């Protein structure tokens, strides 16, 4: 029997114009490091997000979070609140600055940071004489967090929000795009994200000064002078002009990519929702998810594993939902505010193949294999 072709969880999907923009960089010798592709890519992102945002293209989403924390004044010994149910890229930059993550659990409607537990964490911090310096809230799998409630709590105690939109380019709430809700927003263009520059990120600011500060820090904090002058510590986090060319091409097809991922989700929903052991996460009213990854919930860890291993046997990649940060050995000593929600999601949840380049026959293979487990 010929080996079944591999179905990936989420793989890069080029649109066709990427090489044209990359070639332009070569033809004009704008290879290193900045150049017109960076400017045009930033403009394309800010036009897409709208809301008069200023965009700094960077080398990664993790780097963007690092710079956001630094710009918000986070330093050694500070507390920073972070959604526990996320990828480590959200939390690691807190440690880069010598600050302490305080992890907060999720609510069940969007799987993202709970407004109630967030308020409790802030109040406790204030009572102990140590108000948290920032909040990192995440639109996990493309589903927006409760943007209004989180903003309300953050504003009440005057704590800035870093909006981790790494997975949510193209998602929105009441027609306002993700990336525009936080004090500072971030995107990722890593290889598995909804669009990719093979590796990259962006910082989204509402005021030009913050963007300029991000660019300054991202280019080794070089002061204006004919010689190399440095008054503060900088980083090498700027996006290269070659990779921004890929990004320009990807922005042209972003809406197609969102539609394709949403159709994947709809296909899984239509074909699997009648199985009583399988649950989906619906969009709350006014919420629009890019459905970066299509996720299902099963009744137990055992059933989740049974499905995952059955898919693996068929050369189909699936993944358990993110393992919460408070359960990770690297963060075991951090403070946390938990009610069991994220641990439960981690045990029972599975991400299904979700790439925008999946074909109907791939989706059918996935669905048939899952169905066969419940006959
Ligand atoms: C991918 C991701 C990041 C990090 O982005 P990189 O570009 O890979 O550094 C941060 N947060 C979340 C939620 C992510 O999914």
């Amino acid at each position: 029997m010929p080996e079944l072709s591999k179905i990936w969880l989420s793989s890069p999907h080029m649109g066709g114009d990427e090489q044209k923009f990359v070639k332009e960089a070569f033809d004009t010798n704008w290879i290193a490091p900045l150049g017109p592709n960076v400017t045009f890519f930033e403009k394309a992102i800010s036009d897409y997000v709208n809301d008069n945002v200023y965009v700094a293209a960077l080398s990664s989403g993790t780097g963007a979070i690092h710079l956001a924390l630094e710009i918000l004044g986070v330093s050694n010994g500070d507390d920073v609140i972070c959604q526990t149910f996320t990828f480590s890229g959200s939390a690691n930059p807190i440690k880069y600055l010598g600050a302490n993550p305080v992890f907060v659990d999720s609510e069940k409607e969007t799987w993202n940071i709970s407004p109630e537990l967030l308020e409790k964490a802030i109040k406790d911090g204030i009572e102990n004489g140590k108000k948290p310096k920032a909040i990192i809230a995440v639109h996990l799998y493309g589903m927006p967090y409760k943007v209004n409630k989180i903003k309300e709590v953050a504003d009440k105690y005057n704590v800035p929000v870093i909006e981790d939109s790494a997975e949510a380019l193209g998602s929105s709430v009441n027609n306002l795009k993700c990336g525009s809700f936080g004090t500072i927003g971030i995107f990722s263009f890593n290889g598995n994200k909804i669009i990719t520059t093979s590796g990259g990120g962006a910082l989204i600011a509402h005021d030009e000064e913050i963007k300029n500060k991000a660019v300054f820090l991202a280019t080794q904090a070089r002061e204006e002078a004919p010689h190399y002058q440095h008054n503060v510590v900088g980083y090498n986090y700027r996006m290269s002009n070659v990779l921004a060319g890929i990004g320009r091409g990807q922005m042209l097809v972003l809406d197609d990519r969102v539609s394709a991922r949403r159709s994947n989700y709809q296909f899984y929903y239509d074909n699997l929702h009648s199985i009583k052991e399988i649950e989906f996460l619906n969009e709350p009213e006014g919420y629009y998810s890019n459905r970066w990854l299509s996720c299902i919930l099963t009744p137990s860890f055992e059933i989740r594993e049974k499905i995952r291993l059955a898919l693996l046997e068929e050369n189909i990649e699936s993944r358990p939902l993110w393992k919460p940060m408070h359960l990770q050995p690297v963060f075991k000593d951090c403070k946390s505010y938990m009610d069991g929600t994220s641990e439960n999601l981690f045990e029972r949840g599975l991400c299904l193949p979700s790439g925008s380049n999946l074909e109907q026959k791939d989706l059918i293979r996935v669905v048939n294999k899952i169905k066969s487990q419940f006959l």
Side-chain angles (χ1 to χ4, degrees), residues 193-235:
K193 297 296 186 336
I194 191 146
I195 61 165
T196 183
T197 56
S198 98
L203 181 145
I204 314 300
H206 295 273
D207 114 36
E208 196 167 11
E209 230 171 276
I210 289 184
K211 177 207 161 151
N212 291 341
K213 190 146 189 205
V215 170
F216 169 74
L217 289 171
T219 48
Q220 307 285 26
R222 196 182 155 189
E223 306 286 340
E224 248 174 271
H227 60 279
Y228 282 89
Q229 174 77 22
H230 306 278
N231 300 346
V232 297
V233 173
Y235 305 92

Side-chain angles (χ1 to χ4, degrees), residues 18-194:
E18 291 83 1
Q19 285 185 328
K20 181 182 91 191
F21 295 120
V22 170
K23 184 169 183 299
E24 227 170 81
F26 276 75
D27 290 348
T28 53
N29 206 28
W30 277 110
I31 300 299
L34 281 174
N37 277 340
V38 171
T39 311
F40 283 119
F41 184 44
E42 288 176 340
K43 168 98 170 54
I45 299 167
S46 89
D47 286 348
Y48 188 83
V49 172
N50 214 324
D51 207 28
N52 299 318
V53 294
Y54 298 88
V55 176
L58 301 170
S59 55
S60 73
T62 308
I65 294 174
H66 188 185
L67 294 183
L69 288 166
E70 176 146 342
I71 289 167
L72 294 173
V74 172
S75 67
N76 202 29
D78 286 337
D79 281 354
V80 172
I81 292 176
C82 183
Q83 180 168 323
T84 192
F85 195 40
T86 188
F87 172 59
S88 66
S90 307
N92 281 334
I94 302 170
K95 285 288 197 180
Y96 301 168
L97 289 161
N100 312 306
V102 175
F103 292 113
V104 170
D105 216 338
S106 291
E107 35 78 15
K108 294 185 177 66
E109 270 178 277
T110 74
W111 296 357
N112 294 309
I113 191 164
S114 151
E116 288 77 29
L117 291 174
L118 170 63
E119 178 155 25
K120 186 162 165 20
I122 298 175
K123 271 182 162 166
D124 277 6
I126 293 171
E127 269 167 34
N128 297 327
K130 202 171 175 192
K131 187 167 126 176
K133 275 286 181 71
I135 300 159
I136 301 174
V138 188
H139 306 298
L140 214 61
Y141 301 117
M143 180 65 81
Y145 64 76
K146 295 201 166 168
V147 289
N148 294 327
K149 284 201 174 158
I150 297 302
K151 185 171 188 323
E152 208 177 287
V153 175
D155 288 352
K156 182 168 165 189
Y157 298 96
N158 199 20
V159 184
V161 176
I162 296 173
E163 180 193 1
D164 182 343
S165 286
E167 303 176 2
L169 180 60
S171 299
S172 59
V173 178
N174 296 325
N175 294 319
L176 296 173
K177 287 274 184 350
C178 287
S180 68
F181 294 108
T183 313
I184 297 178
I186 74 100
F187 290 122
S188 165
F189 309 110
N190 192 30
N192 61 353
K193 297 296 186 336
I194 191 146

Side-chain angles (χ1 to χ4, degrees), residues 6 12 155 184 226 241 263 267 315 338:
K6 171 108 182 172
D155 288 352
I184 297 178
N241 194 55
S263 328
F267 186 87
N315 214 7
M338 295 300 136

